[in-house]
Structure formats: C-alpha cells, structure tokens
Amino acid sequence: MTLAKKYLEFAIIISFLILALVFFAAIFPPIVSFDTYFHLAVGREVAITHQIPKTDSFTFVGAGREWISNEWLAGLVLYFIYDNFHENGILALRTALGVLTLGFIVLTLNLAKINFPLKILTLLTIALVLSTRMIDRPEMISFVFFAFLIYLLTKYQLKPNLLLPLPILLIFAIWPNIQGYAPIGLAVFAFYVLKVILPEKLDFSSTLSSV
C-alpha cells in the first residue's frame, strides 16, 4: 500500500468518526430514556450517602424492599456529569462513548488487517446498530467495554504482552457495577481464550516439541 493511499484511508476513517460524533449527538435529545432518571436518582443517593442503596426507595411498588443496584457505579457517573454539566453533559457523554466504541473497533479491524471496503461496511453496520441503543443508559458504557476487550484480546493474540491482561482485569473489576452485560463480556473473554488464543499456543508448543 502506498503512503498516499494510507493517508487517504486514514482521512476517510477520521471523517467517518467525526460524522459518527455528530450523528450520536443529534439522533436523540438528551435523556431520552425514563431509565436515565432512575439511574440519576441512584447515583445521587450514592453521592450523598457514600453508600450503595440496600433498600428500594425509588419506586412506589417496591418501596422498602431489600434491593441492591448492580449499576450503581454507572448511576454515580451519570449523576456527576448531570450535576456538573446538566443535560448537555449527558449528551456529550453519549457522543464520546459512541465514538470511543467505534474507535476501538477501528483499531481491532486494523490489527486484523481487514480490507478497506469491508472495514467501512463493518463500521457502518455497527454504527447503525449502536444508534438504536445510545439512549443515555449504563448500556452505553458496556459497548465501550466490549469493543475495548475485543481489541485487547486481538492484540494479545497477535503479540502477547504481559501487561495486556491488566486492563482486562480492570474492566472486569468495574463492569459488574456498571451494567448487567458483564457476564456476556466474561463469556466473550472465555470463548476467545479457549477457542482462539489457547489453541494457537498449544499448536506452537507442539511444533517446538517436534523439532
């Protein structure tokens, strides 16, 4: 690939991410989901009491029942942003998370050396799917974690590094308190290790032993 073609592809990808930034900012008004207010209330409770709520004080039907929010950390993040930057802050967070997700996907596709037309098609497809789910809920953060996790695993597969597992451990330390997709992320991690990384290591070891 010539240098000029590399720069052209890079410029197209950057333009795509800029358009995605505008798209994620414009597709919905700030706080389009009623769930957002619930998560803001949980985050406010944590910020004020410095404790994770253990009883339901947010709904009429479940008032007083024993209940622990497994998304309290996301609520705290949302509340901090809303308290300091109001609705525009929530809008900026949504936009940043959407573009960050696509950015990690671009890095993964680059590692996999996907050809440029397929790369653009993949990004367009994922951006379209994301556009239906970027509705100011903890789910948005899970998308970033998924994309970052797959990028790290792909990078480790191609070039093992003892430091790469550290951010993966950090992801799984935080994720269960962010949103309920953490078990799915763990399943993706297990599948990748058992079906992709481990077989390659075993094949490499058997090749060395036969030499």
Side-chain angles (χ1 to χ4, degrees):
M1 182 186 293
T2 64
L3 188 60
K5 190 173 181 180
K6 281 187 176 181
Y7 280 127
L8 177 61
E9 290 191 1
F10 178 76
I12 292 174
I13 292 293
I14 293 299
S15 300
F16 177 85
L17 292 177
I18 292 172
L19 287 174
L21 188 149
V22 175
F23 181 70
F24 287 129
I27 190 169
F28 294 121
I31 311 185
V32 70
S33 171
F34 289 115
D35 283 355
T36 307
Y37 292 104
F38 171 74
H39 292 296
L40 287 172
V42 171
R44 180 181 60 195
E45 183 79 8
V46 174
I48 293 173
T49 65
H50 301 104
Q51 293 181 350
I52 301 171
K54 296 180 180 178
T55 56
D56 186 355
S57 59
F58 307 100
T59 65
F60 176 76
V61 176
R65 290 183 184 175
E66 185 176 339
W67 168 83
I68 297 177
S69 171
N70 66 334
E71 299 178 341
W72 66 268
L73 186 54
L76 185 61
V77 171
L78 288 169
Y79 175 71
F80 174 81
I81 291 174
Y82 182 79
D83 190 46
N84 288 278
F85 306 104
H86 311 295
E87 291 187 351
N88 287 334
I90 299 294
L91 182 62
L93 176 66
R94 176 211 302 167
T95 304
L97 291 175
V99 173
L100 194 58
T101 300
L102 291 177
F104 283 127
I105 291 168
V106 169
L107 292 175
T108 303
L109 294 175
N110 286 341
L111 287 175
K113 296 183 179 179
I114 302 295
N115 66 68
F116 189 68
L118 183 57
K119 186 184 298 183
I120 291 297
L121 180 61
T122 302
L123 285 173
L124 285 171
T125 303
I126 293 174
L128 183 61
V129 173
L130 279 179
S131 69
T132 66
R133 303 302 306 170
M134 301 300 285
I135 46 178
D136 307 327
R137 300 171 60 192
E139 189 178 24
M140 301 186 301
I141 305 175
S142 279
F143 296 146
V144 177
F145 283 169
F146 274 125
F148 188 36
L149 176 64
I150 292 171
Y151 165 69
L152 290 173
L153 291 171
T154 304
K155 191 169 184 179
Y156 185 84
Q157 176 193 359
L158 297 174
K159 189 176 181 181
N161 186 321
L162 292 177
L163 295 179
L164 280 177
L166 295 180
I168 294 176
L169 289 174
L170 182 61
I171 288 173
F172 284 112
I174 296 172
W175 203 345
N177 298 307
I178 290 287
Q179 205 265 340
Y181 288 168
I184 302 176
L186 193 59
V188 170
F189 173 76
F191 175 83
Y192 213 97
V193 171
L194 295 175
K195 295 294 184 180
V196 179
I197 296 178
L198 192 58
E200 288 188 0
K201 301 303 177 187
L202 292 176
D203 288 344
F204 181 71
S205 298
S206 61
T207 301
L208 286 179
S209 62
S210 63
V211 173

